[in-house]
Amino acid sequence: MEFPEDLKYTEEHEWVLLEDGIVTVGITDFAQDSLGDVVFVELPEVGTMVEEGKAFGVVESVKAVSDVYAPVSGEVVEVNEDLPDTPELINTSPYEDGWMIKIRLTEPGQVDDLMDAEQYQAFVEKE
Amino acid sequence: MLKQTPLNAAHKRLGARMVDFGGWEMPVQYRGVIEEHLAVRNAAGLFDVSHMGEIEVKGEGAFAFIQELTVNDAAKLVNGQVQYSAMCYPHGGVVDDVTLYRFDQNHFLFCVNAANIDKDFAWMEEVLEEGGFAGVTLRNRSNEFAQLALQGPAADAILARLTATDLGKIAYYHFYEGLVGGVPAIISRTGYTGAGGFELYFAPEAAEKLWDALLAAGEADGLVPVGLGARDTLRLEMKYALYGHELSPEITPLEAGLGWITKLDKPSFIGREALVKMKQQGIPRRLVGFVMTEPGVPRADYPVLAGGREVGVVTSGTMSPSLRVGIGLALVESGQAAVGTDLQIGIRSRQVGARVAHTPFVKQNS
């Protein structure tokens, strides 16, 4: 199970990478492993406003449907166009090729409230 | 406390993800549902299905009792043959779907769904008492059998390495009592995958030994352990009914597409009158298979629409690992059941296109 040091994490098992006021969002290695084979991903359109804590998309495995929640508020500026055709990227590369959306932050302070890798790993071990 | 099969420890050693399945702690997957599914279609898979129930019917009145209890015609069975059948309530709803094994005219064995064992046994006792069937004894032997399903195109070759029984002699839906790996077993050419293969019934004490022996014998052929996740996707691709989804006390076998096992020309069986009446008046709903024509994964209980009007409900759905498209089964108004009918599936806030399809969804190999 990987917990990259440069990312921030939510209790809903999303990860966030902050670069120049834009965050990239995906689901964690732990989340993809728990879900099993991902077969479908539903993403918002570019330009959608998302709100911290509200669902912005859906990841479906063979057996289960899971909402994905926005870790921060802001505008969706890019979505991963590869996911609709190759949703298994979420399983094979959760932190890189399997990223889901990029959000331009409207409240930059929100990222500071998220867990770091060490905290998230401890959180997962308790689950 | 969840019930466990004799292979519980073996599953955990193999790293299976265990889930609560109708009160049983069962493996849902070992390495991944899709990989396991494709292994069964292309090579072979081994399933622990020891949670299934076995109820034995013996005695002089056994045949008459079974004819009254079940919707299929047990008179068609010869010794060593298996029949897919169902038990109905008087109103035509389904108590359970079953496979029926005939050893001889006075000795039958039912294989029933795990979650229904107690309910089925109680129902059989009730029918037995009320029906005045002399000389029939019922025994719930579920704890005396472990059950494995070896399924897939390589199943014959793998099993042949562990038995002297001539498997070529066992026709589809027939069985033979022989030794497998030195263990006395019922070897039955049945299954729930459409991929061909066998189901084996034997003493629980031998379960780990036989499980390990089969996995070792099939390793070179690509045999893998398979969990309930892939069991569900495999059966769905074949349009095989799952109790609690396609069958229930609220769904008749005629609605569920099981008219082929419902022998209304039999003089009498429980539920017959209600089913004859339903057939005369017109079957209101039909179970159909559908394929998504737009991206989306159908799931049980999602609404089915036609032209914006709700016409039914999804009973089972998944992303087909073989076809890589969303497939499902739905109970819909009979007028919307023809192959080619355009439907919409209500997936969250969207109405997603689907079309009634020919079933089975994949070509059968059994």
Side-chain angles (χ1 to χ4, degrees):
Chain A
M1 199 75 60
E2 286 183 56
F3 301 92
E5 293 286 332
D6 54 340
L7 305 180
K8 293 277 208 170
Y9 301 86
T10 73
E11 292 189 356
E12 306 288 351
H13 307 287
E14 291 91 16
W15 58 262
V16 155
L17 175 67
L18 175 63
E19 289 169 312
D20 303 327
I22 292 189
V23 298
T24 305
V25 178
I27 67 168
T28 66
D29 196 12
F30 173 82
Q32 71 77 21
D33 185 65
S34 306
L35 277 170
D37 297 325
V38 173
V39 293
F40 188 77
V41 180
E42 199 172 284
L43 298 175
E45 286 176 16
V46 169
T48 305
M49 298 303 292
V50 297
E51 195 180 329
E52 186 253 322
K54 297 264 173 74
F56 74 78
V58 174
V59 172
E60 300 202 35
S61 67
V62 179
K63 296 302 290 176
V65 183
S66 303
D67 284 326
V68 189
Y69 299 92
V72 294
S73 300
E75 182 189 356
V76 176
V77 293
E78 197 179 340
V79 301
N80 187 342
E81 303 286 355
D82 293 333
L83 287 182
D85 291 330
T86 47
E88 61 270 24
L89 289 174
I90 291 197
N91 293 122
T92 55
S93 179
Y95 296 119
E96 289 169 8
D97 299 341
W99 68 274
M100 295 179 72
I101 60 171
K102 296 187 181 190
I103 302 171
R104 182 179 290 118
L105 285 167
T106 47
E107 296 173 54
Q110 284 176 335
V111 175
D112 300 333
D113 298 335
L114 302 176
M115 288 182 273
D116 64 22
E118 197 179 326
Q119 288 168 324
Y120 177 64
Q121 189 166 355
F123 175 79
V124 162
E125 278 160 12
K126 270 189 282 174
E127 282 240 311
Chain B
M1 179 73 184
L2 292 176
K3 286 176 270 192
Q4 297 183 347
T5 76
L7 290 165
N8 190 273
H11 299 316
K12 288 176 179 169
R13 270 200 302 278
L14 285 165
R17 181 167 298 156
M18 306 297 283
V19 295
D20 177 355
F21 180 81
W24 291 79
E25 188 183 35
M26 296 298 289
V28 65
Q29 65 168 57
Y30 302 83
R31 282 184 275 189
V33 173
I34 294 174
E35 184 182 340
E36 292 164 28
H37 177 113
L38 296 175
V40 174
R41 286 270 177 262
N42 300 322
L46 187 62
F47 305 71
D48 175 18
V49 284
S50 302
H51 58 313
M52 301 287 285
E54 292 83 14
I55 299 173
E56 187 177 72
V57 185
K58 273 188 161 175
E60 253 176 60
F63 172 75
F65 170 67
I66 282 162
Q67 279 295 60
E68 183 63 15
L69 182 71
T70 62
V71 303
N72 207 335
D73 187 1
K76 302 260 170 68
L77 278 174
V78 299
N79 294 348
Q81 194 175 4
V82 189
Q83 184 178 64
Y84 181 57
S85 191
M87 303 186 289
C88 282
Y89 293 108
H91 74 274
V94 177
V95 182
D96 202 3
D97 63 330
V98 298
T99 47
L100 176 64
Y101 288 70
R102 174 174 152 142
F103 291 82
D104 62 52
Q105 179 80 359
N106 301 324
H107 181 195
F108 295 85
L109 187 73
F110 281 109
C111 179
V112 305
N113 283 299
N116 292 342
I117 297 171
D118 293 341
K119 179 185 84 168
D120 289 356
F121 191 72
W123 174 248
M124 289 182 190
E125 281 190 310
E126 195 181 321
V127 172
L128 188 58
E129 280 167 24
E130 287 181 5
F133 297 97
V136 177
T137 55
L138 278 180
R139 269 177 72 202
N140 180 358
R141 296 189 62 193
S142 301
N143 294 331
E144 298 169 42
F145 286 106
Q147 193 186 339
L148 295 179
L150 175 66
Q151 299 280 296
D156 275 78
I158 294 165
L159 192 59
R161 289 174 201 139
L162 292 177
T163 185
T165 300
D166 178 5
L167 299 173
K169 257 183 350 196
I170 309 178
Y172 187 54
Y173 262 65
H174 284 70
F175 68 98
Y176 194 85
E177 292 175 274
L179 292 177
V180 178
V183 177
I186 298 169
I187 305 167
S188 171
R189 194 181 284 279
T190 51
Y192 195 45
T193 64
F198 299 90
E199 292 176 305
L200 308 170
Y201 301 75
F202 51 91
E205 299 73 37
E208 278 215 50
K209 178 185 157 186
L210 210 47
W211 172 265
D212 290 342
L214 282 162
L215 285 179
E219 197 179 356
D221 299 274
L223 175 67
V224 296
V226 182
L228 294 180
R231 190 168 164 82
D232 192 49
T233 53
L234 286 157
R235 70 94 193 167
L236 233 168
E237 287 184 346
M238 299 309 298
K239 202 195 177 192
Y240 292 155
L242 175 63
Y243 194 85
H245 289 253
E246 285 73 42
L247 296 170
S248 78
E250 286 75 46
I251 305 171
T252 70
L254 300 181
E255 294 170 306
L258 297 183
W260 63 279
I261 65 164
T262 309
K263 306 301 184 190
L264 298 177
D265 54 350
K266 239 178 25 170
S268 169
F269 64 85
I270 296 166
R272 181 179 176 277
E273 278 176 40
L275 294 170
V276 166
K277 195 171 160 196
M278 175 177 265
K279 189 156 188 193
Q280 284 167 349
Q281 293 180 343
I283 300 161
R285 303 177 295 178
R286 299 278 186 173
L287 188 74
V288 298
F290 64 85
V291 172
M292 302 304 296
T293 53
E294 294 176 304
V297 185
R299 307 276 181 185
D301 300 329
Y302 285 1
V304 178
L305 303 99
R309 187 174 65 86
E310 199 161 322
V311 297
V313 64
V314 176
T315 54
S316 295
T318 194
M319 182 68 82
S320 161
S322 299
L323 306 172
R324 294 181 63 95
V325 66
I327 62 169
L329 305 179
L331 267 177
V332 299
E333 294 174 2
S334 292
Q336 309 294 333
V339 169
T341 303
D342 283 317
L343 300 171
Q344 300 84 45
I345 310 300
I347 301 181
R348 293 177 286 280
S349 58
R350 300 182 301 140
Q351 290 185 14
V352 187
R355 187 168 295 143
V356 178
H358 285 288
T359 52
F361 295 101
V362 302
K363 195 171 164 286
Q364 194 164 1
N365 177 33
S366 56

